Amino acid sequence: MIPHNKLILSLAAVALLAGCEGNGPSTQTGAVLGGILGATAGAVLGHNSRGGNELGGAVIGGVAGAMAGGAIGNSIDHQNGTIYGSEQAATTTYVVQQPPAMPAPPPEVITPQPSPYAIWVPGFWFFNGAQYVWTGGHWEVPPPGYYSYVGAHWAYRGGNYIYVRGYWR
């Protein structure tokens, strides 16, 4: 059995190491869950090793788990699009005097609706601070309490334009 103080210490270390601010909800959730599972597995393996080093195993397992979980979650965020619940949360730091011209969107094929609750999120050009990158449309079930999707756009604020990612409201 893992001593409580070592488990709490390892979970606290994982929580600090797993911060993924601004990388999307799946990245954050994946990093935290991966860290917890990695810390637990590492502690068990460390305890069962010849040296009986639960703390060392928990720290190594937590870091590896947080990195793996964050990478998997980040992949899901990139595939499905990050879910933002307000324009403020979706606002980027990309400020320009005039937005760069967007290329024409490629043709999209809308697949059959996978669920009666799913809403089609049209494809859009994501501005990464230097150039536009196409993100294809997809079906998405809105988060609880959200009913409509606002597409990515440029907002005029304080004499400049700020890029706002798509978000739910």
Side-chain angles (χ1 to χ4, degrees):
M1 187 80 183
I2 302 168
H4 288 4
N5 60 346
K6 288 184 180 182
L7 180 61
I8 291 169
L9 180 62
S10 63
L11 292 176
V14 167
L16 289 173
L17 294 171
C20 297
E21 183 72 29
N23 290 329
S26 297
T27 305
Q28 294 170 4
T29 302
V32 171
L33 291 177
I36 291 170
L37 292 174
T40 303
V44 169
L45 292 173
H47 176 73
N48 291 331
S49 69
R50 287 186 216 183
N53 186 359
E54 297 98 348
L55 182 59
V59 170
I60 292 169
V63 170
M67 289 171 45
I72 292 168
N74 195 36
S75 172
I76 292 168
D77 281 336
H78 285 295
Q79 179 180 352
N80 295 335
T82 299
I83 300 170
Y84 297 99
S86 70
E87 184 170 5
Q88 181 179 3
T91 300
T92 67
T93 57
Y94 309 134
V95 178
V96 295
Q97 289 187 341
Q98 184 68 32
M102 277 189 219
E108 284 197 286
V109 176
I110 301 176
T111 58
Q113 186 177 22
S115 157
Y117 305 106
I119 294 175
W120 178 255
V121 175
F124 60 95
W125 287 106
F126 172 74
F127 186 72
N128 66 9
Q131 65 183 5
Y132 287 107
V133 177
W134 178 253
T135 301
H138 61 277
W139 290 102
E140 196 168 311
V141 175
Y146 296 92
Y147 303 100
S148 65
Y149 184 80
V150 178
H153 61 278
W154 288 96
Y156 188 74
R157 296 190 189 142
N160 292 305
Y161 288 89
I162 299 172
Y163 185 77
V164 180
R165 299 175 187 100
Y167 63 94
W168 291 98
R169 65 171 165 188

